[in-house]
Amino acid sequence: MVTNAASFGRSGVHDYILIRASAVILACYSIFLVGFIALSSPLTFDVWHGLFSTLPMKVFTLLALIALLIHAWIGVWQVLTDYVKCITLRGVLQFIFVITAFSYLAAGIVIVWGV
């Protein structure tokens, strides 16, 4: 069996499951945030800070961030594999995306745990 080092899940089935699982996590997070905003009539900084200062919300936010990065990586990898035929250019674009994604993850960790 041939494995592709650029694929996140190492196979189409794993990538499919990761995409679906990350989509469910992102949908739950989005629904929760929309519901919270809709039900918090005076949405002030103190209310928002109180929400994000709890441990479950910090964990949920980081889980959503990781799910977003997994979802984005698989999507970008599929698009680049399908449409960028030059292997060197595809490798450079993937490298740029990975550096950007890790930067977003680091910033997210600092921001979420800094509250």
Side-chain angles (χ1 to χ4, degrees):
M1 182 171 102
V2 177
T3 59
N4 188 345
S7 174
F8 190 78
R10 305 292 185 247
S11 77
V13 174
H14 289 124
D15 285 349
Y16 178 83
I17 291 170
L18 286 171
I19 282 281
R20 297 310 179 253
S22 64
V24 168
I25 292 168
L26 291 172
C28 291
Y29 189 76
S30 298
I31 290 169
F32 174 77
L33 281 182
V34 168
F36 181 81
I37 291 169
L39 297 175
S40 298
S41 58
L43 189 59
T44 62
F45 175 77
D46 292 332
V47 172
W48 197 249
H49 184 270
L51 172 68
F52 281 96
S53 64
T54 62
L55 182 63
M57 190 62 193
K58 288 180 180 184
V59 171
F60 194 26
T61 301
L62 286 179
L63 183 65
L65 178 61
I66 291 168
L68 178 67
L69 295 177
I70 290 171
H71 199 90
W73 168 248
I74 294 171
V76 166
W77 175 79
Q78 289 176 346
V79 168
L80 290 177
T81 302
D82 288 344
Y83 295 109
V84 180
K85 298 303 179 190
C86 177
I87 295 173
T88 305
L89 177 60
R90 185 171 57 219
V92 167
L93 292 173
Q94 286 177 348
F95 178 75
I96 290 170
F97 181 81
V98 166
I99 295 301
T100 305
F102 277 124
S103 300
Y104 287 157
L105 179 62
I109 291 170
V110 168
I111 291 167
V112 169
W113 291 101
V115 173

